[in-house]
């Protein structure tokens, strides 16, 4: 006997941020039967959405549902919402949260749709939310996955993952978000889910660079594969579960972002590979490519936990103008010509356990430096 599909109850929800992804996610929610209030910073954009049922600035050619209404008042957007979805540029999140904090109730779930880390602090988006909003961590969730806005806006079938330290919260959000073309899975690995969404952007920039240079599929596939290894090492060093990086928020998002011309990060990398400077690329991009802003803080975090990220290091050098884009390639990402194991076990057997020792050393340093641990004066 086949199972009947679960029909989630209609909810009042708010989406803060009317760029391409924010508008698309508002459409996802509206197509799931929810009443959606979309907050746009500009009055004219909110008026355009309400009058034409389109977002001509960021999502051309897509008609928006009638149960999606826009406003330029954040207070009006969140007043009656049961769930509040945040989709603003990662580097402006904190200032938006300062405005949001006095408007929230204790019973409203807050969901991050952003894929970045704060440049000044290196904090994930959920960590910034925890610092600025007076709500329980159980009321915070994050959404990630292979989610290219235009494809989803065209209602092409897509999957995503909702993560929260509270499985009940993640499940409630997943039911609210899911519709006939958008399916959500759940997990409780918030660091892994967030870092997957952040780190894949950096690898997508690298793939874009070699694409712009003119290298082919072998080079790109090698960078994607070794990039996933870098992503996993980094995320695990910061408390993530390795299997999360093999799922929708890691490998799934990595493939979509690296392979699609719709990806802003891939586009930015391709322009760099064609010889444009970082400033020129930034000026050409209508929307934020989060990977460009995340390179520096991610490398700072990697060095703090002694995680090697040679591909990301090369992207950093291209951004700084100290590495010719044609020299970024997977075979140039090791410090020695000595053969290295592809997996940690292979490296352990080939080189006397160097990788394992490195992992143990990192774990020891984490214990030594963790809050509450004894330290010498």
């Amino acid at each position: 006997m086949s199972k009947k599909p679960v029909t989630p109850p209609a909810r009042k929800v708010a989406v803060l941020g009317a760029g391409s992804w924010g508008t698309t996610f508002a459409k996802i929610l509206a197509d799931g039967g929810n009443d959606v209030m979309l907050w746009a910073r500009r009055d004219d954009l909110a008026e355009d959405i309400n009058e034409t049922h389109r977002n001509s600035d960021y999502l051309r050619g897509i008609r928006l549902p009638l149960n999606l209404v826009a406003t330029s008042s954040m207070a009006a957007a969140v007043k009656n919402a049961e769930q509040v979805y945040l989709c603003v540029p990662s580097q402006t999140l904190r200032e938006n949260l300062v405005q949001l904090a006095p408007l929230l109730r204790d019973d409203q779930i807050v969901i991050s749709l952003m894929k970045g880390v704060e440049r000044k602090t290196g904090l994930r988006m959920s960590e910034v939310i925890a610092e600025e909003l007076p709500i329980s961590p159980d009321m915070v969730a994050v959404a990630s996955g292979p989610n290219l806005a235009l494809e989803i806006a065209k209602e092409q079938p897509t999957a995503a993952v909702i993560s929260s330290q509270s499985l009940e919260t993640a499940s409630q959000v997943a039911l609210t978000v899911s519709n006939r073309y958008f399916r959500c899975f759940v997990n409780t690995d918030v660091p892994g889910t967030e870092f997957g969404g952040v780190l894949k952007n950096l690898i997508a920039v690298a793939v874009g660079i070699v694409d712009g240079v003119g290298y082919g599929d072998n080079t790109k596939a090698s960078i994607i594969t070794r990039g996933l290894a870098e992503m996993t090492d980094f995320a695990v060093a910061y408390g993530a579960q390795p299997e999360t990086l093999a799922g929708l928020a890691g490998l799934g998002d990595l493939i979509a972002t690296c392979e699609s011309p719709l990806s802003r990060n891939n586009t930015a990398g391709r322009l760099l590979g064609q010889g444009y400077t970082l400033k020129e690329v930034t000026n050409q991009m209508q929307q934020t490519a989060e990977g460009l802003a995340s390179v520096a803080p991610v490398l700072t975090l990697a060095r703090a936990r002694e995680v090697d990220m040679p591909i990301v290091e090369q992207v950093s050098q291209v951004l700084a103008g100290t590495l010719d884009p044609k020299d970024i390639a997977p075979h140039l990402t090791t410090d020695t010509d000595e053969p290295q194991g592809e997996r940690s076990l292979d490296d352990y057997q080939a080189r006397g356990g160097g990788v394992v020792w490195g992992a143990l050393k990192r774990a020891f340093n984490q214990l030594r430096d963790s809050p509450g641990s004894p330290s010498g004066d």
Side-chain angles (χ1 to χ4, degrees):
M1 183 176 178
S2 61
K3 293 182 179 179
K4 293 183 179 180
V6 177
T7 303
R11 302 182 186 275
K12 293 183 181 298
V13 298
V15 178
L16 305 187
S20 60
W21 183 224
T23 304
T24 296
F25 214 89
K27 181 181 186 301
I28 291 168
L29 288 159
D31 286 342
N34 303 288
D35 294 324
V36 184
M37 187 77 78
L38 175 63
W39 174 71
R41 187 179 299 276
R42 295 170 15 225
D43 291 338
D44 62 314
L45 181 56
E47 290 172 3
D48 181 51
I49 292 171
N50 289 333
E51 290 175 3
T52 68
H53 301 292
R54 297 178 186 275
N55 185 337
S56 301
D57 286 2
Y58 296 105
L59 208 61
R60 290 183 181 276
I62 301 299
R63 184 166 179 81
L64 302 175
L66 297 180
N67 53 330
L68 191 168
V69 178
T71 178
S72 58
S73 167
M74 187 181 292
V78 304
K79 182 178 179 180
N80 296 313
E82 297 175 52
Q83 299 175 7
V84 178
Y85 294 79
L86 302 176
C87 195
V88 298
S90 60
Q91 305 311 317
T92 71
L93 173 61
R94 193 177 292 271
E95 62 189 69
N96 281 286
L97 292 176
V98 171
Q99 183 181 352
L100 176 63
L103 307 175
L104 278 182
R105 305 187 310 270
D106 292 342
D107 62 341
Q108 290 173 299
I109 298 174
V110 176
I111 304 96
S112 168
L113 305 179
M114 299 157 292
K115 298 176 180 179
V117 293
E118 192 174 44
R119 188 184 294 115
K120 293 181 180 179
T121 64
L123 294 177
R124 292 178 280 111
M125 297 294 96
S126 67
E127 293 175 314
V128 177
I129 291 170
E131 284 194 351
E132 294 294 339
L133 297 184
I135 59 175
S136 165
D138 284 349
M139 299 296 284
V140 177
V142 301
S144 196
N147 302 148
L148 296 164
L150 185 58
E151 289 186 2
I152 299 175
K154 291 179 177 179
E155 302 184 7
Q156 296 181 13
T158 310
V161 61
I162 306 294
S163 182
S164 173
Q165 71 175 38
S166 164
L167 189 58
E168 180 181 354
T169 294
S171 299
Q172 185 175 328
V173 172
L175 278 173
T176 304
V177 170
S178 296
N179 62 31
R180 60 186 172 78
Y181 59 85
F182 194 81
R183 169 72 186 276
C184 282
F185 297 81
V186 297
N187 72 41
T188 56
D189 182 9
V190 177
T193 301
E194 283 192 290
F195 275 134
V198 172
L199 299 170
K200 58 87 186 181
N201 285 334
L202 313 188
I203 306 305
V205 173
V207 169
I209 290 171
V210 300
D211 197 21
V213 168
Y215 293 154
D217 292 335
N218 289 335
T219 306
K220 288 183 282 187
S222 299
I223 289 179
I224 290 171
T225 308
R226 295 311 303 161
L228 180 61
E230 288 188 23
M231 290 169 56
T232 304
D233 286 347
F234 177 100
V236 169
Y238 277 91
Q241 300 299 314
E243 54 267 30
T244 302
L245 278 297
L248 288 165
L251 179 58
D253 203 0
L254 179 65
I255 293 170
T257 310
C258 288
E259 291 296 313
S260 174
L262 297 175
S263 162
R264 296 191 294 269
N265 294 284
N266 182 284
T267 299
R270 194 162 57 250
L271 291 171
L272 289 166
Q274 290 169 355
Y276 291 92
T277 66
L278 175 58
K279 184 176 181 180
E280 290 170 335
V281 170
T282 303
N283 290 338
Q284 286 195 46
M285 302 288 292
Q286 183 183 13
Q287 297 187 69
T288 303
E290 293 284 10
L292 300 181
S294 298
V295 171
V298 164
L299 284 177
T300 298
L301 292 170
R303 291 161 188 156
R305 296 285 170 91
E306 300 181 11
V307 178
D308 292 327
M309 302 192 78
I311 293 174
V312 180
E313 291 278 6
Q314 288 188 349
V315 171
S316 177
Q317 293 168 26
V318 171
L319 294 178
T322 59
L323 180 69
D324 190 317
K326 73 178 186 333
D327 290 333
I328 183 171
H331 66 279
L332 300 176
T333 59
T334 59
D335 296 328
T336 175
D337 290 334
E338 181 182 344
Q340 297 186 350
E342 183 182 26
R343 304 166 301 168
S344 294
L345 178 61
D346 298 326
D347 234 8
Y348 176 77
Q349 293 170 338
R351 293 191 291 157
V355 169
V356 174
W357 168 243
L360 289 172
K361 187 167 69 170
R362 285 198 300 271
F364 172 78
N365 289 339
Q366 288 176 238
L367 289 171
R368 181 194 62 194
D369 298 333
S370 63
S373 63
S375 60
D377 294 330

